[in-house]
Amino acid sequence: MKSGWIFSAVAVVALGGCLGGGSDNSATGSAVGPSGSVVTGSEAGGNSLYKVSITRTQYGVPHIKAADFGSLGYGQGYAFAQDNLCVFLNDLITIRGERSRYFGSTGTYTIEPNGSTADNLTSDFFWKSLFAYSKKGPDGVMRNAWERTRDKTIPDYQQVVKGYVAGVNRYIAELKAGQHTYKQPDGSTVVANSACANSDWLQPISEADLYRRFVRLAVLASSSVFVNEIGNAQPPAGLPVTASRLKPSSVKPAQMVALLKAKPNPLTEMQEKDRFGSNMYAFGKDATTDGQSIVYGNPHFPWRGTERLYLSHATLINQGQKKLDIMGVGLYGVPAVLIGFNENVAWSHTVSTAYRFTFYQLQLNPLNPTQYMYDGKMRDMAAMPLEVQVKQADGSLTTVKRTLYRSHFGPMLVLKASGVPVLGWNNATAFTLRDANLENDRLINQFAQWNMAKSLDEFIQLQKTVLGVPWVNTVASGPGQPVYYGDVTVVPNVTDQKVAQCKSEPFNTVVGQLSPGLPVLDGSKSSCEWGTDADAPAPGIFGASHLPTLMRTDFVHNCNDSYWLTNPAQPLTGYSRIIGDENTQRSLRTRLCILQAQRRLAGTDGLPGNKMDQKTLEKIVLGSELYSATLAKTTVLNTICQSPMLLTSGLKPVQTAQACAALAAWDGRANLDSKGAHLWQEFWLRAIQNPGISAGGQSVRSPVALPPLNLPVASPLPVSLPTNFWVNGFASNDPVNTPNGLNVANPLTLTAFADAIDAVQASGFAMDEPLGNIQHSGVQKDLNIPIFGGSGAAGAFTVVKNEPTFLDKTGYHVVYGNSYIQAVTWGADGEPKADALLTYSESTDPGNPHFADYTRAYSAKNWLTLPFTPAQIEASKIEPTLELTGN
């Protein structure tokens, strides 16, 4: 389908300089491409620093071709800015610590994947503290990342970053000059990127912004989980030191745990597998119909914010030599493919269970709570005086000052629960955090080298030697190659023996109740510092020899549980607990991941044969089975549904006949035409609140805190409740199939079913309403695009996260879940064959023709075969190629 966009433009841009300051350059040019307006401009002339072509194919996917790395970055930055400038700039403002300057202090910002929400002022102080100070001085973290891109192994990649910044800035200058509009289907015209086109924060970006962005992504599962806890951490005020400020907390460990569990907090948010989620497979020659490997990736990431994924294709050919030809997705502002493929290798990622940081408890000088004991001597914390400009109601700016502190381990923090300090700061003790990924300057190096990998062997070796992957598992394969899994990531070198020797109690136990495996260590002794492996590329982390990997010729997988059952035929064991758990229960989603592979290879999934091919895989992964229904629907029908009436948690009687008839006819899936999926989800998310879930062996958590089951004190229920959720608990010798057998003797399960019926009735939707009438995209609300899928907590492989979580009169609105989905294999000629979906589409700009077109394709399960070769690209392009030149 042709988009019909045409534009020509010229701009003079003040490009942001490198880290030390800035330099002014200009970029001029003429172009034909996606804008929707016709603007007269001057022709590009002279000796241009950058020269690149951008060809858009179906759904607006840009194919960028250049002869040098700088030009490649220039095209990537320009194309990306066309589609997503405003969302990107909003994030850059955040990590510069300038939200209060532009939006006032009281607004909020949420880091979508980790759930951290802070007011603008706290956010500003956090990010300023993160980048202003580090072990290596002001801007040390960011500068290290910049220096690393000059590494001898990738000396040209710094030019990609420079070019990317120049490309973004060219587009910004053109937008400020009014040169970009979109023609709408009704004939009207709208300004491109209208959310920021006329804002005072539409300003050129700098290379420093991109390196901040790289660090921001590296600490996504560590420091930035604690924006509030670090940004607001303050020592106890002044003298005199009273006895009450020296005595231990009167809150007992069990009370601390209860307080933390009562409301969402960073420790519980980190365990939400629907928030930090993904699925991936790799099938090898023994499992596929043609003996070629297949790599499947399906990250579950936000549908809003800068942790969306942008699909593009980058080709660099210089003097007839192909140096780079890579296609896939990167997070916003990253000029590298993070999940994708080239001719030699394909790979994907899921979020790992390993922790990237540890807490340390400090023993303080009672007379100076910014001094702490270390090896028998007092050390001063480093004071970080910070200033934030705050926009007032009249538009004027005021300055707010705050001093934050850091130990030699890292920033100080205070973690509270319901207002009670759990990890507090008084005159006797305080807590600090060391973050391995804040010390990781190898992230962009890792992916840059992967993008140019010439074989699976090279890919694996690069993962082990660079060791810059921050927080994700990896599966990979190449044409005719085995399939590989590795959790070869940046993990603090804290062995189980080290934890046993250095754990700080009772806090280690308290934290471990909510984040099992995350240690709180004694910060008073150098013997409790992180270790370093001989094969580690940096101090303080495990080397590849102590991290889990697996090579197979049938299959490997990961669906966010630990490495243990990567393939159940060959469990991985013997690793430190900080990396992941072993011989423990898997989530319903992980069990379904394994079962889908096992059923296929056993020929028991109802599909032809007993081998995997690309199209069969695509059918399976979008099948939308809810494994909780597979396990428990028949039990509900045969037991709970035999009662014509049940009582809700509020003792309201509800009739079961209509609901049970809907469930009996329901196909057990969450497809658009599935009738009853919403009723089951309402039931299951309530049922797993059961306080006996842990005893029953069910570890699956719901994606948010759920409404309580308000059972009255004077309840007709038995005094002694059978609290097990499952009849048969987890068995380590049968981990894929246990636990099982829904325990319907538990009255809380009956109450959950009654409450679900009541909720559906209150919503106004029928019990047998097709899911497609209820669940829609939450980022393109006005377009009413139906979306299939269910909650990971209910055992969905095809995952969505809705707002609201529970059904109301407006239905469900998907804001999280399946994002970029790829199924990659190779033909007999060695060329990659990739089918893909991008669930939320390429653009965040509502006026852009590619704001929702890929979403509609996803809704219809219409996979796009990605054009990769020059002939395929030429045959698939939707508008004339955009030729850009600039200085």
Side-chain angles (χ1 to χ4, degrees), residues 177-515:
Q179 294 175 350
H180 291 278
T181 59
Y182 296 121
K183 196 173 207 179
Q184 300 299 291
D186 63 3
S188 63
T189 299
V190 298
V191 175
N193 286 290
S194 59
C196 62
N198 297 307
S199 70
D200 56 353
W201 45 275
L202 180 66
Q203 301 292 338
I205 71 170
S206 69
E207 289 175 61
D209 285 324
L210 248 61
Y211 289 107
R212 287 190 192 97
R213 176 72 179 148
F214 303 158
V215 175
R216 142 97 156 88
L217 293 173
V219 300
L220 194 58
S222 46
S223 291
S224 71
V225 175
F226 302 97
V227 173
N228 290 290
E229 289 70 25
I230 293 172
N232 290 314
Q234 293 289 285
L239 297 172
V241 179
T242 63
S244 64
R245 284 168 56 182
L246 286 173
K247 70 179 183 180
S249 172
S250 60
V251 182
K252 304 301 181 186
Q255 293 174 297
M256 292 182 185
V257 172
L259 288 169
L260 286 167
K261 286 184 175 180
K263 290 184 178 180
N265 63 78
L267 298 180
T268 56
E269 290 293 302
M270 285 192 298
Q271 307 311 309
E272 301 295 0
K273 291 177 181 174
D274 273 6
R275 182 178 294 283
F276 265 124
S278 301
N279 303 326
M280 64 183 180
Y281 292 118
F283 291 92
K285 65 182 180 63
D286 293 344
T288 61
T289 55
D290 61 358
Q292 275 289 10
S293 54
I294 308 172
V295 175
Y296 170 78
N298 175 204
H300 304 151
F301 255 49
W303 285 31
R304 57 194 178 191
T306 52
E307 276 63 68
R308 285 173 43 131
L309 293 160
Y310 187 69
L311 175 60
S312 65
H313 180 197
T315 304
L316 194 161
I317 300 176
N318 186 281
Q319 296 181 346
Q321 181 182 0
K322 185 185 292 185
K323 291 189 174 182
L324 180 73
D325 195 7
I326 184 74
M327 191 166 191
V329 292
L331 293 167
Y332 284 14
V334 179
V337 167
L338 304 183
I339 293 175
F341 61 94
N342 61 26
E343 294 169 321
N344 312 304
V345 64
W347 76 95
S348 193
H349 298 300
T350 61
V351 176
S352 159
T353 57
Y355 292 103
R356 314 300 162 178
F357 65 95
T358 66
F359 297 120
Y360 278 95
Q361 183 181 10
L362 304 180
Q363 299 175 22
L364 302 184
N365 176 355
L367 299 179
N368 183 352
T370 63
Q371 288 185 331
Y372 62 100
M373 183 70 70
Y374 188 76
D375 280 349
K377 297 180 181 180
M378 285 295 171
R379 283 193 174 190
D380 289 325
M381 297 176 189
M384 299 184 290
L386 303 167
E387 295 184 357
V388 169
Q389 289 188 305
V390 180
K391 186 176 184 178
Q392 304 300 301
D394 63 0
S396 64
L397 296 175
T398 61
T399 299
V400 176
K401 298 180 180 182
R402 183 177 298 176
T403 298
L404 299 179
Y405 294 85
R406 61 182 300 119
S407 70
H408 77 279
F409 297 106
M412 303 301 296
L413 79 163
V414 173
L415 175 62
K416 297 181 179 180
S418 302
V420 176
V422 175
L423 301 182
W425 191 347
N426 56 38
N427 285 79
T429 191
F431 295 85
T432 185
L433 173 149
R434 183 177 177 187
D435 184 344
N437 271 324
L438 197 55
E439 302 170 23
N440 174 15
D441 55 12
R442 302 173 307 283
L443 180 150
I444 201 65
N445 187 327
Q446 181 77 77
F447 287 95
Q449 293 194 64
W450 267 355
N451 283 194
M452 295 182 280
K454 295 179 176 61
S455 69
L456 176 64
D457 287 343
E458 182 185 4
F459 182 93
I460 294 170
Q461 186 62 22
L462 285 169
Q463 185 174 35
K464 293 178 178 179
T465 55
V466 179
L467 224 171
V469 177
W471 35 261
V472 287
N473 304 284
T474 302
V475 298
S477 191
Q481 296 297 302
V483 292
Y484 165 78
Y485 161 85
D487 190 354
V488 181
T489 52
V490 177
V491 185
N493 194 318
V494 180
T495 63
D496 294 346
Q497 182 182 12
K498 175 87 71 175
V499 173
Q501 294 172 345
C502 291
K503 61 185 177 182
S504 181
E505 297 294 5
F507 302 103
N508 185 72
T509 297
V510 169
V511 169
Q513 289 288 309
L514 283 90
S515 294

Side-chain angles (χ1 to χ4, degrees), residues 51-71:
K51 185 176 182 180
V52 62
S53 67
I54 304 172
T55 302
R56 298 264 184 174
T57 56
Q58 193 171 9
Y59 307 127
V61 177
H63 301 257
I64 298 125
K65 185 177 179 180
D68 62 83
F69 283 94
S71 295

Side-chain angles (χ1 to χ4, degrees), residues 37-52:
S37 67
V38 177
V39 180
T40 301
S42 64
E43 293 296 324
N47 296 318
S48 296
L49 178 63
Y50 303 118
K51 185 176 182 180
V52 62

Side-chain angles (χ1 to χ4, degrees), residues 560-866:
N560 295 125
D561 278 309
S562 75
Y563 51 82
W564 176 47
L565 291 186
T566 295
N567 186 305
Q570 190 178 351
L572 299 173
T573 59
Y575 297 94
S576 295
R577 180 61 184 86
I578 196 171
I579 304 171
D581 55 351
E582 301 169 7
N583 295 295
T584 57
Q585 186 192 314
R586 307 292 89 175
S587 71
L588 291 183
R589 175 157 57 90
T590 289
R591 291 166 63 185
L592 181 57
C593 285
I594 296 170
L595 284 168
Q596 286 178 162
Q598 290 180 334
R599 293 169 184 166
R600 175 82 299 257
L601 300 186
T604 59
D605 58 4
L607 299 172
N610 63 349
K611 299 279 188 177
M612 189 67 79
D613 59 56
Q614 190 181 41
K615 298 305 178 184
T616 300
L617 176 61
E618 290 169 8
K619 185 171 185 178
I620 291 170
V621 296
L622 297 188
S624 301
E625 176 182 351
L626 292 182
Y627 187 51
S628 59
T630 303
L631 287 173
K633 179 186 145 182
T634 298
T635 301
V636 170
L637 292 173
N638 291 342
T639 57
I640 297 176
C641 282
Q642 301 309 304
S643 298
M645 185 187 74
L646 295 170
L647 293 178
T648 68
S649 56
L651 299 185
K652 174 183 175 181
V654 294
Q655 304 295 320
T656 64
Q658 192 176 27
C660 290
L663 286 186
W666 172 47
D667 61 6
R669 297 178 182 269
N671 284 311
L672 297 183
D673 58 356
S674 295
K675 299 179 179 181
H678 60 302
L679 173 61
W680 185 264
Q681 177 147 304
E682 293 296 307
F683 158 58
W684 197 260
L685 294 187
R686 288 170 169 82
I688 60 175
Q689 293 178 87
N690 182 344
I693 270 180
S694 295
Q698 170 62 296
S699 67
V700 174
R701 296 174 51 83
S702 60
V704 295
L706 304 176
L709 298 175
N710 297 312
L711 293 172
V713 175
S715 171
L717 299 176
V719 174
S720 179
L721 298 178
T723 58
N724 284 358
F725 187 78
W726 299 106
V727 174
N728 304 306
F730 170 72
S732 60
N733 62 351
D734 189 14
V736 180
N737 298 300
T738 60
N740 57 46
L742 183 67
N743 181 15
V744 293
N746 188 330
L748 296 181
T749 301
L750 306 183
T751 302
F753 192 68
D755 283 345
I757 294 172
D758 189 43
V760 174
Q761 289 174 339
S763 75
F765 292 104
M767 295 292 173
D768 60 353
E769 192 84 30
L771 183 62
N773 293 347
I774 301 172
Q775 186 165 273
H776 299 86
S777 168
V779 297
Q780 300 128 332
K781 283 187 177 181
D782 295 341
L783 302 181
N784 208 37
I785 303 172
I787 302 296
F788 55 90
S791 166
F797 181 90
T798 308
V799 169
V800 297
K801 181 176 180 291
N802 289 311
E803 285 187 354
T805 300
F806 290 93
L807 191 63
D808 67 12
K809 294 181 183 298
T810 68
Y812 298 129
H813 306 285
V814 178
V815 296
Y816 213 106
N818 286 3
S819 54
Y820 171 68
I821 308 174
Q822 69 173 22
V824 183
T825 188
W826 288 265
D829 57 1
E831 291 288 352
K833 297 164 57 179
D835 290 348
L837 292 161
L838 188 65
T839 60
Y840 36 64
S841 300
E842 286 278 60
S843 177
T844 49
D845 179 5
N848 190 310
H850 304 302
F851 175 65
D853 52 350
Y854 219 157
T855 307
R856 292 189 179 95
Y858 172 68
S859 175
K861 299 186 182 180
N862 288 335
W863 292 77
L864 172 66
T865 297
L866 298 179

